[in-house]
Every structure is written in C-alpha cells, then in structure tokens.
C-alpha cells in the first residue's frame, strides 16, 4: 500500500477548492490518513522544493506556497502515487488531461492548485517532512475490500 503527500496550495484554498480536491480523492477510492491546515514556513517550503533550487521559477514558487494557508494531507491506497498524480493532472494546466483537477480549475503553471508526490521514494520523504508519525492515523474502512483487491 502506498502513501502520498497532497497539498491544496494557497490558490486552491483561497478559491474554496479544498472540498473539491478531497471529494475527488475520496471518490477515487483513496483513504485519508492525515490532514492539517497550516501556514507554510519558509523552512518547510525550502526543504519541500529543494530539488527546484536554482531554477528561474524557484523564488516565485517559495513566495506562492508561503503566501497563505495550505491544506496538507496524506492519502493511502494501492498505486496511490500514480493515481493521485493522474487525478491532479500534468504540472502545466494547459497540458493536463480533461477531467483532471488542474485542467478543470487551472490555467497557469504557477497557480496549479495542488501538489502530489511524484515517486514512492519522494512520497516517503515528503510525508515525513510534513507529518509526525503520531499525526498519521492507521485505520480500515468497511468499504476497503470493495475498493482494494488486497486490503
Ligand atoms: P509538480 O507540481 O507537478 O510535481 P514540479 O515538481 O516539476 O511539478 O514543479 C513544482 C512546482 O513548480 C509546479 O507545481 C509549479 C512550479 N513550476 C514547475 N515548473 C515551472 C515552470 N517552468 N515555470 C513556472 N513554475 C513552474
Ligand atoms: Mg513535483
């Protein structure tokens, strides 16, 4: 079972799309195991986006993610990393598949609403950056066996 970090970034929060993001991930069948609403510190932002340091969009990205509160969550399920990336859509909203969140609600790469871990390895690092182990709730849903082939 994979876990993945999801952020509803400041534009998504300001536009009232937290519920829409949660709704789509729930509908997909993923299981929510952690959530918190927070103002992102400079330190978390810089660690989270360390891979982009030095790129031309880096300072704008840090300003954007720290500009207003975000909703941070961990979602779990088989192939959770790939499934959530697909639900979010491609980084550039004009290249995101119709029906994906970034397609349906976005226009610009610098206002693309959400973050989702891109690999299983990065998801583990990101989950531990954003959440303490005690903030993650291990639980089973009554519907798991109807959604997960091996639950
Ligand atoms: P993703 O968020 O799909 O994982 P990424 O990790 O490549 O994409 O980049 C992180 C964020 O940085 C992305 O959501 C938006 C911003 N970004 C990436 N490439 C950019 C570019 N060429 N111009 C402006 N912003 C960019
Ligand atoms: Mg990324």
């Amino acid at each position: 079972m994979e876990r993945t970090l999801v952020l509803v970034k400041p534009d998504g929060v300001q536009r009232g799309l937290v519920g829409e993001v949660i709704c789509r991930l729930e509908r997909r069948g993923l299981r929510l195991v952690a959530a918190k609403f927070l103002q992102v510190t400079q330190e978390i932002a810089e660690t989270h986006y360390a891979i982009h340091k030095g790129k031309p969009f880096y300072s704008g990205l840090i300003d954007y993610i720290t500009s207003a509160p975000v909703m941070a969550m961990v979602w779990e399920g088989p192939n959770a990393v790939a499934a959530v990336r697909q639900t979010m859509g491609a980084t550039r909203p004009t290249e995101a598949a119709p029906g994906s969140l970034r397609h349906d609600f976005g226009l610009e790469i610098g206002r693309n609403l959400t973050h989702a871990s891109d690999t299983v390895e990065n998801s583990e690092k990101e989950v531990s950056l954003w959440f303490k182990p005690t903030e993650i709730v291990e639980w089973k849903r009554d519907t798991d066996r109807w959604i997960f082939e091996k639950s």
Side-chain angles (χ1 to χ4, degrees):
M1 198 77 78
E2 289 175 14
R3 284 181 174 165
T4 188
L5 179 81
V6 172
L7 304 176
V8 183
K9 298 199 282 199
D11 50 335
V13 172
Q14 296 291 326
R15 292 175 58 192
L17 295 172
V18 171
E20 178 74 29
V21 174
I22 292 175
C23 178
R24 287 178 179 222
L25 297 174
E26 281 188 316
R27 242 174 18 190
R28 190 86 199 256
L30 293 152
R31 186 166 64 193
L32 181 66
V33 293
K36 62 183 165 189
F37 185 66
L38 73 158
Q39 179 74 46
V40 182
T41 62
Q42 192 75 17
E43 193 185 351
I44 290 186
E46 288 179 8
T47 309
H48 179 76
Y49 282 129
I51 194 165
H52 297 300
K53 197 165 183 178
K55 295 183 187 168
F57 58 86
Y58 175 76
S59 68
L61 183 59
I62 299 294
D63 289 349
Y64 161 49
I65 199 82
T66 56
S67 64
V70 307
M71 184 73 179
M73 299 176 274
V74 180
W75 290 83
E76 187 173 70
N79 307 308
V81 170
V84 173
R85 292 284 293 185
Q86 184 185 39
T87 292
M88 300 316 178
T91 307
R92 200 177 286 283
T94 51
E95 292 168 4
S100 67
L101 273 158
R102 285 166 166 174
H103 169 279
D104 290 356
F105 296 99
L107 289 170
E108 294 215 272
I109 195 168
R111 296 289 182 274
N112 64 1
L113 300 156
T114 55
H115 167 83
S117 309
D118 60 353
T119 62
V120 173
E121 192 190 347
N122 285 339
S123 73
E124 285 162 10
K125 287 188 199 146
E126 291 180 357
V127 167
S128 59
L129 171 67
W130 289 81
F131 289 90
K132 300 186 196 105
T134 52
E135 292 174 319
I136 296 176
V137 181
E138 310 256 359
W139 66 298
K140 300 265 181 232
R141 286 176 305 196
D142 291 346
T143 51
D144 281 345
R145 68 196 178 98
W146 303 109
I147 303 166
F148 305 155
E149 195 176 352
K150 296 187 188 89
S151 60

